């Protein structure tokens, strides 16, 4: 699971071959840009590393930030004038740090159950909160955004320049 989670670094890094201007165009009307998506992933990695992971202990009730608040911070940061290439580098760095911490965890730690905002069950997976389930949901989350980015770039370029 950790290896799969880690692989997002290489994929996001591969986006550097695209023109900078494309990173700031919304992927669809009313949707984020690629830059905002990458910042969103990096902000969540940093938040999980600093605020969530250290508190994943048996029967702990972790108080999580409001999703929209963190998403808005990431979007604002992406549109603050930072380059798309810098956002990619920041995502790779944040994912490397999070993966390193995860690699230091024991199997037992991955299966300890805890609560988030008073909830014992993750509404998305239907399973009790654990480090394993939490990180697994972020793999799904990465793949969701990867699919969006692939569709965006592939709609812009000929088959010779398609993203995989």
């Amino acid at each position: 699971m950790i290896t799969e989670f880690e692989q997002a670094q290489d994929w996001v890094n591969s986006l550097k071959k695209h023109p900078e201007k494309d990173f700031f165009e919304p992927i669809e009307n009313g949707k984020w840009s690629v830059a905002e998506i990458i910042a969103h992933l990096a902000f969540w990695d940093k938040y999980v590393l600093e605020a969530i992971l250290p508190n994943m202990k048996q029967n702990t009730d972790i108080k999580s930030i409001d999703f929209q608040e963190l998403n808005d911070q990431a979007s604002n940061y992406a549109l603050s004038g930072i380059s798309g290439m810098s956002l990619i580098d920041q995502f790779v760095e944040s994912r490397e740090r999070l993966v390193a911490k995860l690699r230091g965890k024991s199997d037992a730690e991955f299966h300890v159950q805890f609560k988030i905002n008073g909830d014992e069950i993750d509404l998305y997976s239907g399973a009790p909160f654990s480090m394993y389930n939490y990180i697994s949901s972020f793999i799904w989350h990465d793949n969701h955004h990867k699919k969006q980015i692939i569709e965006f770039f592939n709609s812009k370029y000929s088959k010779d320049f398609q993203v995989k």
Side-chain angles (χ1 to χ4, degrees):
M1 176 191 67
I2 296 172
T3 301
E4 186 175 354
F5 187 61
E6 181 178 37
Q7 290 171 345
Q9 295 172 73
D10 291 336
W11 185 81
V12 170
N13 211 28
S14 76
L15 298 175
K16 286 184 174 181
K17 66 184 174 194
H18 294 285
E20 182 78 18
K21 67 176 179 55
D22 290 343
F23 282 85
F24 297 93
E25 180 182 329
I27 61 169
E28 289 180 32
N29 271 346
K31 297 280 187 178
W32 281 342
S33 64
V34 172
E36 288 168 290
I37 293 170
I38 293 169
H40 163 77
L41 295 173
F43 270 56
W44 273 102
D45 280 3
K46 185 176 185 289
Y47 178 72
V48 169
L49 179 67
E50 294 174 359
I52 301 293
L53 194 64
N55 296 305
M56 290 180 167
K57 295 178 175 57
Q58 188 69 39
N59 299 322
T60 300
D61 190 357
I62 301 169
K63 301 298 178 214
S64 179
I65 192 170
D66 176 74
F67 292 144
Q68 194 59 50
E69 182 181 336
L70 190 61
N71 292 345
D72 289 346
Q73 289 173 15
S75 174
N76 291 336
Y77 181 70
L79 301 176
S80 70
I82 189 165
S83 73
M85 301 309 118
S86 291
L87 286 168
I88 288 172
D89 290 342
Q90 288 176 15
F91 166 77
V92 168
E93 190 271 334
S94 67
R95 184 58 56 99
E96 283 175 352
R97 289 178 52 223
L98 182 51
V99 165
K101 282 286 189 193
L102 291 171
R103 289 202 187 282
K105 301 292 183 184
S106 69
D107 286 345
E109 287 175 295
F110 269 91
H111 297 286
V112 164
Q113 294 182 6
F114 51 86
K115 298 176 189 174
I116 295 184
N117 297 328
D119 294 325
E120 294 179 13
I121 304 296
D122 176 8
L123 296 176
Y124 296 104
S125 71
F129 281 111
S130 68
M131 189 180 305
Y132 180 85
N133 289 337
Y134 195 81
I135 299 302
S136 293
S137 72
F138 275 90
I139 292 170
W140 178 90
H141 180 248
D142 287 349
N143 288 329
H144 164 72
H145 288 303
K146 178 179 178 179
K147 182 178 182 232
Q148 290 178 315
I149 292 170
I150 288 170
E151 288 173 359
F152 169 72
F153 279 127
N154 286 350
S155 72
K156 294 181 74 59
Y157 298 107
S158 71
K159 290 191 189 306
D160 295 336
F161 299 100
Q162 298 275 298
V163 176
K164 295 184 171 60

